[in-house]
Amino acid sequence: MLKDLFRKQKRYITVQPGTAPEHEEEKEPLWIKCPDCGEILYVRELEKGLKVCSKCRYHFRLSAPERIAATVDDNTFQELDGDLKAVDPLSFPAYRSKLSSAEQETGMRDAILTGQGAIEGRPVLIGVLEPNFIMGSMGCIVGEKITRLVERAIKSKLPVILFSASGGARMQEGVFSLMQMAKTSAAIARLHEAGILYVSVLTDPTTGGVLASFATLGDIILAEPGALIGFAGRRVTEQTLKEKLPPDFQTAEFCFNHGLIDLIVPRNEMRQILAQILSLHSERG
Amino acid sequence: MLKDLFRKQKRYITVQPGTAPEHEEEKEPLWIKCPDCGEILYVRELEKGLKVCSKCRYHFRLSAPERIAATVDDNTFQELDGDLKAVDPLSFPAYRSKLSSAEQETGMRDAILTGQGAIEGRPVLIGVLEPNFIMGSMGCIVGEKITRLVERAIKSKLPVILFSASGGARMQEGVFSLMQMAKTSAAIARLHEAGILYVSVLTDPTTGGVLASFATLGDIILAEPGALIGFAGRRVTEQTLKEKLPPDFQTAEFCFNHGLIDLIVPRNEMRQILAQILSLHSERG
Amino acid sequence: MPNVILDFEKPLLELENRIAELKQYAGDKGIDLAAEINILENRLRELKKEIYENLTPWQRTQLARHPERPNALDYFNLLFTDFLPLCGDRCYGDDPALVGGIARFEGVPVTVIGHVKGHNTKENLARNFGMPNPEGFRKALRLVQQAEKFQRPVISLVDTPGAYSGAGAEERGQAWAIANNLFAFSRLKTPIIVIITGEGGSGGALALGVGDVLLMLENSIFSVISPEGCATILWKDSQRAPEAASALKLTASELLSLGLIDGVIPEPLGGAHRDPKGTADNIRAEIRQRLQELRQIDAEQLVAARWSRLRRICGF
Amino acid sequence: MPNVILDFEKPLLELENRIAELKQYAGDKGIDLAAEINILENRLRELKKEIYENLTPWQRTQLARHPERPNALDYFNLLFTDFLPLCGDRCYGDDPALVGGIARFEGVPVTVIGHVKGHNTKENLARNFGMPNPEGFRKALRLVQQAEKFQRPVISLVDTPGAYSGAGAEERGQAWAIANNLFAFSRLKTPIIVIITGEGGSGGALALGVGDVLLMLENSIFSVISPEGCATILWKDSQRAPEAASALKLTASELLSLGLIDGVIPEPLGGAHRDPKGTADNIRAEIRQRLQELRQIDAEQLVAARWSRLRRICGF
Ligand SMILES: [Zn+2]
Ligand SMILES: [Zn+2]
C-alpha cells in the first residue's frame, strides 16, 4: 500500500525527480485555475513549486503523501501502522460506504499517514493528516496512530512532527471520536513529561476537535500562510454573532496576530525551518 | 513597642471592647465626613463598624494595627521581627528625616507589621502593610519581614495571609527596593512548592511594585470593595492614553471584572471568609 | 411541578391534573374518593415508569436540556457545604458560564467546577447559555491545579451545549484553552470525578471531562456533535435530529454499553428537574463510594491508570 | 558616526570633524600632514577617555537611552547564529516590544529573550518604545519554561523604560504578569544569564531580570524609577532628573559596589552605539565564561543558589 501511495504522490510532487511513470500523466489535467487570484497555472509547474501559486503564493492543499514527500529526505520514510483500517464502532448510517469511497479516492485506510523519516539527515517521527479522507477528520484510527507515534517517540527519544489538516472530530464515530481529543492530548502530555520535542504544523484547514487537542499542544506551533485555522465553523460563528467577521478571521495570520502560534512559514521554507528546529533540539544546551 | 501599637489601635477599633484608655479620646475628632458620600459620621460609630461608612459602605483605610485587631482573635497576635528598623542603603537625600517622621506618625519602624495569630482558633502567619508609613511602600525591611514570615511558614507549615496597602516600591532605597519584588516573589514560590496556603488581600491602595510581586501571587486573592488596585499610577496611565479612563478603572471591581482576583469581600465579612478559607485548608482533601 | 412540559410528559400532566381535581373535589364535597384516587395514582406510577423507562435518545436529549434541570450551582448547594466560589483566569476575565471553587463533601474539602446554564432567558443571557469562553476553561485549569497543590479531589459537573463559538472566543484561543485542559487534567496528581449532569456537548464538555471516573446521570447525554448539527450535516435537515440522536449513541446507557463511561447514576422517575434533591442523593452516594476508592490510590498510580483508561479507547 | 549626538559628545564631534577636514585637505593638495593629524588623533583619544571615564549618572542615563544603542535584535544578530524567533503568549497576542526564540551561542542551543526599543520613531511606534504589555511577559514566561524542558540556558537582554502603563495592560493584569515571571524565573531549572544592555526600568526590566547572573553593560542603568519620575515626586520638577539620577545610584559601577549586580561588561570608548560589534565581543566573552561556570552546576543547586542570592539582598 505504501508503494501505491508514493507512486501516486510522485505524480504530484517533483521534489524527488525522475521516477514517475510517464504514461499515467495523460489522465491528469494539464492546467488548473488558482482559486485565489484566478491565474491559470500549468500543473507541472505548480507541482514543481510545491503547489504554491506562482503569482499570488496561494497554497493549494497537499495530500498526506505529497506532504511527506515535500518534507522528509528522499527514500527515508518508513510508514508505521499502515495496516490500521478505519472502524465503525457505532454502526453509523452510511459510514461504511463513506469509508470505502474515501479509501478508493485517496488510497489510504484512514485520514492519517504516520511513519519515521529524516529531515536533512535528522531522524524524526512524523504524522500527516489527509484532508481528502473524510475531511481529515479524527476518529479511532487517527487517534490511535498518533498515540502509537507518540509512544514510539517516548521510547526512541525521537522528536515528533504532526501536520494537521482536518475538519475536526469524525462525527460518525460519536463519543469514540470525541475521546480521541482526550487520548491524543494525554499522549502529548506524556511526551512533554519525557522532555521530547513536538512540533505542530497547522495547514489548511485545521479546525474543531483536532485544533482543540494535539494540534495546539506543540512546543512550537507553525502554520502555512492563509490556512483556515479555527475552533468553530465560520458559519456557526457568523450565526452566533449575526454580524460579519473580519476578512482574516480564522486564518493563520489571524492566529499569529492573536499570539496563538509561533510562526507562519511559507511552504517553500517549511523543510528548512523544520530542519533548523530539529538541529536546535538535537543536543542539550 | 507592640504594646504601644495596640494601645493606639484600640482607640480606633472596638472589636476588642472595653480596654481603651478613655482620657485619650479628647484628642480624637468626634465627627468625620465620608469622602465618598459626604455623610457626617460619628467617629465612635464608624470605628464600631470597622471604619465602613454606614451610609454608602465606603471603606476607610485601616492602619496595620487596626487591621490586625479586626482580623485575628483577641490576644493571639504575637509580633515577629518587630526589632527590624528601616535602613537607608543609598544615603538618599532627605530619606532619614522622612523615616523619622513616618515612625513618629505611625509608631512603626517600617511599613509592615508581621506576626503569628489565630483566626477563629486557627493559627496563621499574618503580615499587614501600613499605608500611613511612606505610603506603605516596600523597601528592604518590608521585603525582609515578608521573607522571614514566609520562611517561618515553610518551617511551621502554617498558612500565610498578607494584607497589602502600598504605593509600590520604596524609591528612596533604589534597586534595593526593586529587588524586594524579586525576593518576596521568590519566597512565595518556595512557599508554593512547599504546598502551603497563601491568601493575599488587596486593600486600598495596592499599586506598583507591591502589586507586581507578592500581592498578586496568592493561591486566593481577595480585595476590599472600592480599593484602588493598579500597576501604574492613574495619572501616568491617563497621560499615556491622552484620554479619559472608565470610572471604575483600577478598582477592586475592575480587577474582578477582568478575572484578576477571586472575590471582593466587604470588610465586615473578611474575617469570616478568611476563617472559612483556613478551615477548608486545615485538612487534606 | 415544572413550568416547561415536554411533549412526551403531557399524558402524565393530564393524569396529574385529574388526580388533583379529584382530590380537590373530594375535599370540597367531603366525599371519600380514596379508592378512585388510588387507582389513578397507581396508573400514574405505571405510566411514569412506562414513559421514562422507554425514552428515545431524542426524548432523553430533551430531558438533558430541560431548562429546569438542576445546574452546577444547584448541585453545589445540594451536594456540598461551605462552598467558596473562586473567580477569574488571572489574565482576562471571569466566565459566568463556568463556575468553581472549594467546598466540603461530607466534611472533606474538594474543588468543584461545573458549567452553569440558566433556568430562564435572563439567567441564560447572564450565563451565556452555559457555553464557556476560553477564560472559563482557563479558570477551571487554575482551580484544578490549585486542587493538586492542596491534594483536594476534584468534582467536575458537565452540562454545556459546547464551547462558545463567538469571535472573541476564537481570538483568545478557544481551541488552545480546551486542548490545554485535556493535556493538564490528564496528568493532574489528584483524583478527578466527572459527572455529566445534563448536556455533554463536544469539546466544551470534554474540557472538564478528563478524569479518573466518568459518570452520567441517567437522562444526560454526551456527544461529539448536537443531534441537530449532525442531522444538518448528514441530511441537510435539522428536523431529523431525533434520528441523529439515535445514530450518535449519546445516552448514558448506550455509552455505558460501549465502555465509554464508568457508570450511570439513576434519576428519580420523571427526571432530575422533577426531583433535584432525590437526584442529588443519588449523586452523593456515587461520589462517596468513588472518592473512597480513589483516595486509596497514590497520585502516580492514579495518573498512570487515568492514562490507561484513555489509551484503551477504541479497544486497541 | 551616530546621527544623534549627546551634549557631552559635541567636543568629540568637533575634533572628529577637524581631523576629517585635515585628511581631506592633505589628500586634495597632496601635502603630508601626518604629524598634525597624529597629534589631533592623540588629542581625540585623550578627550574620549576623559569624557567617557568621567560620565555623570545622568550622562550614562542618556547613553543608556541613546536611540542608536543596539537593541536585543541587534545583539541577537551579533551574538548568536540560527536565531529562530518564537511568538505569542498562546492566549491573547504577540508583543513586538519583547522578542524571543531559540538560537545558538558558539554552537550551543540557548533560549534568548529581550526587550526591543526602536532606533527611530517608526520603529519605536511598532515596538511600543520597548515597553511590554502583559502578553509580552507571558510570552517570555512560555519561552523560558520551554528552555527548562529542553535544558537550554536562557540569555535575557534587558532594555526597557518599564512595563507599559496603558489601560489594556491594566485590564489584562500587567502586575500579575510581572509577578508571575518573578515567581517562575526564580525556580526555573535551567541557567539564566541576565544582561542589562540599556535601560533597566523598574518592574518591566525585573520581569526579565531574575537569574543566576546579573550583568550590566558599562553605560546601562538599572533603577526602581526613572530619574524624571523620581525628581517629579521628590521635588515636583522633572528638570532635576540629573540630580535624581545621582541619588538613585543607577549606574553599573555603583550597583556593583552595592553588591546588587555580579559584573560590569565594558563598552568600547564612546559607548555601545559607536561600536556595536566591539560591545558584542565583550558580551560574548562574558557569556562564554558565565555559561561554562553555570553549566557545571546541577539544576537543584542552581535554583538553591539563585534563591540565596535574592535572600541576601539588603544584607540580612
Ligand atoms: Zn494565485
Ligand atoms: Zn459614605
Side-chain angles (χ1 to χ4, degrees):
Chain A
M1 181 194 151
L2 184 65
K3 215 180 100 204
D4 293 343
L5 285 174
F6 272 90
R7 197 173 47 75
K8 194 171 160 68
Q9 153 263 312
K10 276 177 188 155
R11 287 177 293 158
Y12 288 90
I13 285 288
T14 53
V15 169
Q16 299 176 332
T19 53
E22 293 292 319
H23 64 278
E24 286 207 11
E25 292 214 349
E26 295 154 54
K27 294 174 198 162
E28 302 296 323
L30 284 173
W31 303 94
I32 194 169
K33 191 174 163 181
C34 172
D36 203 25
C37 72
E39 184 80 354
I40 305 295
L41 302 162
Y42 186 38
V43 169
R44 290 201 79 175
E45 284 301 314
L46 183 64
E47 287 171 356
K48 266 188 203 157
L50 297 172
K51 289 199 162 177
V52 176
C53 170
S54 55
K55 195 179 169 202
C56 75
R57 312 307 298 163
Y58 173 80
H59 285 50
F60 288 75
R61 289 183 187 172
L62 295 186
S63 72
E66 286 172 337
R67 177 71 65 180
I68 292 287
T71 307
V72 305
D73 300 347
D74 291 359
N75 306 317
T76 64
F77 185 73
Q78 304 242 6
E79 195 186 1
L80 291 167
D81 304 308
D83 54 323
L84 290 185
K85 197 172 149 58
V87 293
D88 178 17
L90 305 186
S91 305
F92 198 92
Y95 183 38
R96 280 186 188 277
S97 69
K98 203 172 178 71
L99 286 173
S100 300
S101 30
E103 189 171 333
Q104 268 191 313
E105 275 168 42
T106 62
M108 293 181 64
R109 293 179 175 180
D110 207 321
I112 193 167
L113 183 56
T114 60
Q116 181 167 339
I119 298 178
E120 308 237 325
R122 295 182 196 279
V124 66
L125 291 161
I126 186 167
V128 182
L129 290 178
E130 171 54 67
N132 302 310
F133 193 104
I134 314 186
M135 287 171 60
S137 56
M138 172 163 66
C140 286
I141 297 302
V142 169
E144 179 68 18
K145 286 176 80 171
I146 288 172
T147 304
R148 290 193 188 182
L149 194 75
V150 166
E151 287 174 330
R152 184 176 285 254
I154 292 171
K155 235 181 240 165
S156 64
K157 305 272 174 208
L158 289 181
V160 175
I161 301 177
L162 295 176
F163 282 84
S164 296
S166 175
R170 178 89 45 90
M171 186 178 75
Q172 293 87 347
E173 296 182 24
V175 172
F176 282 103
S177 97
L178 182 63
M179 293 306 284
Q180 301 311 309
M181 291 172 64
K183 179 170 154 181
T184 55
S185 299
I188 299 296
R190 296 181 74 239
L191 185 70
H192 179 79
E193 283 181 10
I196 294 165
L197 175 69
Y198 162 39
V199 181
S200 173
V201 188
L202 313 180
T203 74
D204 187 57
T206 302
T207 64
V210 163
L211 189 67
S213 61
F214 67 87
T216 42
L217 294 172
D219 293 304
I220 295 173
I221 305 179
L222 309 176
E224 284 198 334
L228 169 69
I229 300 168
F231 176 64
R234 188 173 167 131
R235 259 173 309 171
V236 176
T237 315
E238 278 191 40
Q239 276 182 340
T240 308
L241 283 171
K242 294 186 176 72
E243 57 174 274
K244 278 279 165 207
L245 296 165
D248 77 340
F249 186 64
Q250 291 186 334
T251 61
E253 292 72 19
F254 173 89
C255 290
F256 182 81
N257 290 334
H258 288 97
L260 301 173
I261 61 177
D262 284 292
L263 284 176
I264 295 175
V265 180
R267 191 173 290 162
N268 63 344
E269 296 171 22
M270 184 64 78
R271 198 184 138 81
Q272 169 211 321
I273 292 282
L274 289 174
Q276 184 184 346
I277 293 171
L278 292 176
S279 160
L280 285 166
H281 290 82
S282 61
E283 54 207 287
R284 295 280 137 161
Chain B
M1 181 195 150
L2 183 67
K3 214 180 103 206
D4 293 344
L5 284 174
F6 273 89
R7 197 172 49 73
K8 194 171 159 68
Q9 153 263 312
K10 275 177 187 153
R11 286 177 293 157
Y12 287 89
I13 285 289
T14 53
V15 168
Q16 300 176 332
T19 53
E22 293 291 320
H23 65 277
E24 286 207 10
E25 291 214 350
E26 294 154 55
K27 296 174 198 164
E28 302 297 323
L30 282 173
W31 304 93
I32 194 168
K33 191 174 165 182
C34 171
D36 203 25
C37 72
E39 184 82 355
I40 304 297
L41 302 163
Y42 186 38
V43 169
R44 292 201 78 177
E45 284 302 313
L46 182 64
E47 288 172 356
K48 266 189 202 156
L50 297 172
K51 287 199 165 178
V52 175
C53 170
S54 54
K55 193 181 171 203
C56 74
R57 313 307 298 163
Y58 173 80
H59 285 51
F60 287 74
R61 290 183 187 172
L62 295 186
S63 72
E66 286 171 336
R67 178 72 65 181
I68 292 286
T71 307
V72 305
D73 299 347
D74 291 359
N75 306 316
T76 64
F77 185 72
Q78 303 241 9
E79 194 184 1
L80 292 165
D81 303 307
D83 55 322
L84 291 186
K85 196 171 151 59
V87 294
D88 178 17
L90 304 187
S91 305
F92 197 91
Y95 183 39
R96 279 185 189 279
S97 69
K98 203 172 177 69
L99 285 173
S100 299
S101 30
E103 190 172 330
Q104 267 191 313
E105 275 167 43
T106 62
M108 292 181 63
R109 293 179 174 181
D110 206 322
I112 193 168
L113 182 58
T114 59
Q116 180 169 337
I119 298 178
E120 309 239 323
R122 294 181 198 281
V124 66
L125 292 160
I126 186 166
V128 181
L129 290 178
E130 171 55 67
N132 303 309
F133 194 104
I134 314 186
M135 286 172 61
S137 56
M138 173 163 66
C140 286
I141 296 302
V142 169
E144 178 68 18
K145 285 176 81 171
I146 289 172
T147 303
R148 290 194 187 182
L149 194 73
V150 166
E151 285 174 331
R152 183 175 285 254
I154 293 171
K155 234 181 243 166
S156 63
K157 305 273 174 206
L158 289 181
V160 175
I161 300 176
L162 295 177
F163 283 83
S164 295
S166 175
R170 178 89 47 89
M171 188 178 74
Q172 292 87 346
E173 296 182 25
V175 173
F176 283 103
S177 95
L178 183 63
M179 293 306 283
Q180 300 312 308
M181 290 171 64
K183 178 170 156 181
T184 55
S185 299
I188 299 295
R190 296 181 75 239
L191 186 70
H192 179 79
E193 283 181 10
I196 293 166
L197 175 69
Y198 162 40
V199 181
S200 173
V201 188
L202 313 180
T203 73
D204 187 58
T206 302
T207 65
V210 163
L211 190 67
S213 62
F214 66 87
T216 42
L217 294 172
D219 294 303
I220 295 173
I221 306 179
L222 309 176
E224 284 198 333
L228 169 69
I229 300 169
F231 175 63
R234 188 175 167 130
R235 260 172 309 170
V236 176
T237 314
E238 277 190 43
Q239 276 182 340
T240 308
L241 284 171
K242 294 183 175 73
E243 56 174 276
K244 276 281 166 208
L245 296 166
D248 76 341
F249 186 65
Q250 290 185 334
T251 61
E253 292 72 17
F254 173 90
C255 289
F256 182 81
N257 290 335
H258 288 98
L260 301 173
I261 61 176
D262 284 293
L263 284 177
I264 295 176
V265 180
R267 191 172 291 163
N268 62 346
E269 297 171 22
M270 185 64 79
R271 197 182 138 81
Q272 169 210 322
I273 291 282
L274 290 173
Q276 184 184 347
I277 293 171
L278 292 176
S279 160
L280 285 166
H281 289 82
S282 60
E283 53 208 289
R284 295 280 137 163
Chain C
M1 184 53 81
N3 294 314
V4 177
I5 304 297
L6 304 172
D7 275 351
F8 62 87
E9 293 179 312
K10 282 184 182 153
L12 290 178
L13 184 70
E14 279 163 32
L15 203 50
E16 281 169 342
N17 286 343
R18 269 215 344 252
I19 294 169
E21 277 167 30
L22 217 55
K23 279 180 173 168
Q24 170 110 38
Y25 184 82
D28 288 355
K29 304 278 170 176
I31 313 171
D32 181 5
L33 294 174
E36 287 81 351
I37 290 171
N38 197 32
I39 291 168
L40 285 180
E41 281 182 336
N42 279 338
R43 174 79 195 102
L44 179 66
R45 255 188 301 278
E46 280 161 27
L47 186 63
K48 261 194 183 171
K49 249 188 116 176
E50 201 183 301
I51 290 178
Y52 288 106
E53 288 181 356
N54 294 289
L55 293 174
T56 64
W58 178 243
Q59 286 170 332
R60 290 209 198 263
T61 302
Q62 291 172 286
L63 274 180
R65 292 171 175 173
H66 196 289
E68 287 154 66
R69 198 169 170 86
N71 65 22
L73 288 173
D74 298 322
Y75 285 123
F76 289 176
N77 280 327
L78 290 163
L79 292 169
F80 307 118
T81 57
D82 284 340
F83 173 56
L84 180 79
L86 298 176
C87 300
D89 65 348
R90 300 268 164 99
C91 167
Y92 183 85
D94 181 57
D95 190 340
L98 199 162
V99 297
I102 320 174
R104 283 184 190 275
F105 176 78
E106 302 191 331
V108 177
V110 290
T111 285
V112 297
I113 52 177
H115 306 91
V116 183
K117 289 184 184 179
H119 291 310
N120 52 48
T121 306
K122 194 183 152 202
E123 280 181 28
N124 265 320
L125 289 174
R127 299 283 177 188
N128 200 30
F129 297 83
M131 296 183 289
N133 273 285
E135 44 276 20
F137 296 122
R138 292 182 175 126
K139 169 171 64 181
L141 179 57
R142 182 171 79 78
L143 295 186
V144 301
Q145 287 173 337
Q146 195 182 84
E148 182 180 50
K149 170 174 175 180
F150 297 109
Q151 297 166 40
R152 279 193 293 266
V154 174
I155 314 285
S156 175
L157 303 184
V158 172
D159 182 17
T160 179
Y164 188 54
S165 60
E170 295 284 337
E171 283 174 0
R172 299 191 298 279
Q174 186 69 285
W176 279 252
I178 294 170
N180 275 335
N181 279 17
L182 304 180
F183 180 100
F185 278 56
S186 79
R187 305 307 286 171
L188 201 79
K189 292 198 178 104
T190 200
I192 306 173
I193 295 176
V194 181
I195 304 171
I196 301 175
T197 61
E199 205 176 354
S202 195
L206 195 62
L208 298 194
V210 173
D212 303 298
V213 174
L214 176 55
L215 305 168
M216 287 178 73
L217 275 181
E218 186 183 346
N219 295 312
S220 69
I221 60 168
F222 187 28
S223 184
V224 67
I225 187 171
S226 71
E228 292 87 342
C230 179
T232 302
I233 293 174
L234 280 186
W235 305 301
K236 317 226 177 308
D237 181 3
S238 68
Q239 296 298 306
R240 289 173 70 180
E243 227 172 302
S246 296
L248 286 165
K249 306 255 194 313
L250 45 62
T251 65
S253 60
E254 289 167 303
L255 291 166
L256 185 66
S257 307
L258 291 168
L260 285 165
I261 63 169
D262 302 299
V264 177
I265 303 175
E267 295 180 29
L269 270 191
H273 65 290
R274 285 172 176 261
D275 185 0
K277 224 192 127 297
T279 309
D281 288 341
N282 295 348
I283 296 176
R284 185 181 304 108
E286 191 73 35
I287 294 179
R288 183 186 306 134
Q289 193 204 314
R290 301 286 184 168
L291 261 191
Q292 205 180 1
E293 289 163 16
L294 292 173
R295 296 178 71 204
Q296 279 158 24
I297 307 167
D298 83 23
E300 297 292 338
Q301 275 183 294
L302 201 67
V303 169
R306 199 181 298 149
W307 165 243
S308 298
R309 291 173 67 252
L310 288 173
R311 180 69 192 85
R312 278 194 304 270
I313 288 169
C314 298
F316 294 98
Chain D
M1 186 51 84
N3 293 313
V4 177
I5 305 296
L6 303 172
D7 274 352
F8 62 87
E9 295 179 312
K10 283 184 181 152
L12 289 178
L13 182 70
E14 279 164 30
L15 202 51
E16 279 169 343
N17 286 344
R18 272 219 338 255
I19 293 169
E21 276 167 29
L22 216 56
K23 279 180 173 169
Q24 172 110 37
Y25 184 82
D28 289 355
K29 305 278 170 179
I31 312 170
D32 181 6
L33 294 173
E36 289 81 351
I37 290 172
N38 198 31
I39 290 168
L40 286 180
E41 284 181 334
N42 280 337
R43 174 80 195 100
L44 179 65
R45 255 189 300 279
E46 281 161 24
L47 187 62
K48 261 195 183 171
K49 252 189 112 174
E50 201 183 303
I51 291 178
Y52 287 107
E53 288 179 355
N54 293 288
L55 291 174
T56 65
W58 178 243
Q59 286 170 333
R60 290 210 197 262
T61 301
Q62 290 173 289
L63 274 179
R65 292 172 176 173
H66 196 290
E68 288 154 66
R69 196 167 171 87
N71 64 23
L73 288 172
D74 298 323
Y75 285 123
F76 288 176
N77 281 326
L78 290 163
L79 292 169
F80 307 118
T81 57
D82 285 340
F83 173 56
L84 180 79
L86 298 176
C87 300
D89 65 349
R90 301 268 165 99
C91 166
Y92 183 85
D94 182 55
D95 190 340
L98 197 163
V99 298
I102 320 173
R104 282 182 192 277
F105 176 79
E106 302 190 332
V108 177
V110 290
T111 284
V112 297
I113 51 177
H115 305 90
V116 182
K117 290 183 183 179
H119 292 309
N120 52 49
T121 306
K122 197 184 149 200
E123 280 180 28
N124 264 322
L125 289 174
R127 300 284 177 187
N128 199 31
F129 297 83
M131 296 184 288
N133 272 285
E135 44 276 19
F137 296 122
R138 291 183 175 124
K139 168 170 65 180
L141 179 57
R142 182 171 78 79
L143 296 185
V144 301
Q145 285 173 338
Q146 195 182 86
E148 182 180 52
K149 169 174 175 180
F150 296 109
Q151 296 165 39
R152 280 193 294 266
V154 174
I155 315 286
S156 176
L157 304 183
V158 172
D159 183 17
T160 179
Y164 187 56
S165 61
E170 295 283 339
E171 284 174 358
R172 299 191 298 280
Q174 186 69 287
W176 280 252
I178 293 170
N180 275 335
N181 280 18
L182 303 179
F183 180 100
F185 278 56
S186 79
R187 305 307 286 170
L188 202 78
K189 292 199 178 100
T190 201
I192 306 172
I193 295 176
V194 181
I195 304 171
I196 301 175
T197 61
E199 204 175 355
S202 193
L206 195 63
L208 298 195
V210 173
D212 303 298
V213 176
L214 176 54
L215 305 168
M216 288 178 71
L217 275 181
E218 185 183 347
N219 295 312
S220 69
I221 60 168
F222 186 27
S223 184
V224 66
I225 188 171
S226 71
E228 292 87 343
C230 179
T232 303
I233 293 174
L234 279 186
W235 306 299
K236 316 229 177 309
D237 181 3
S238 68
Q239 296 298 306
R240 290 174 70 179
E243 226 173 301
S246 296
L248 285 165
K249 306 255 195 307
L250 46 61
T251 65
S253 60
E254 287 167 305
L255 291 167
L256 184 67
S257 307
L258 291 168
L260 285 165
I261 65 169
D262 303 298
V264 178
I265 303 175
E267 295 179 30
L269 269 190
H273 67 290
R274 285 171 177 263
D275 185 359
K277 226 191 125 299
T279 309
D281 288 342
N282 294 350
I283 297 176
R284 184 180 304 108
E286 191 74 33
I287 294 178
R288 183 186 305 134
Q289 193 205 315
R290 300 289 185 167
L291 261 192
Q292 206 180 1
E293 291 163 15
L294 291 173
R295 294 178 73 205
Q296 281 159 21
I297 306 169
D298 83 23
E300 296 294 337
Q301 274 183 295
L302 201 66
V303 170
R306 198 180 300 148
W307 165 243
S308 298
R309 289 174 67 254
L310 288 173
R311 181 68 193 83
R312 277 194 307 270
I313 288 169
C314 297
F316 295 99

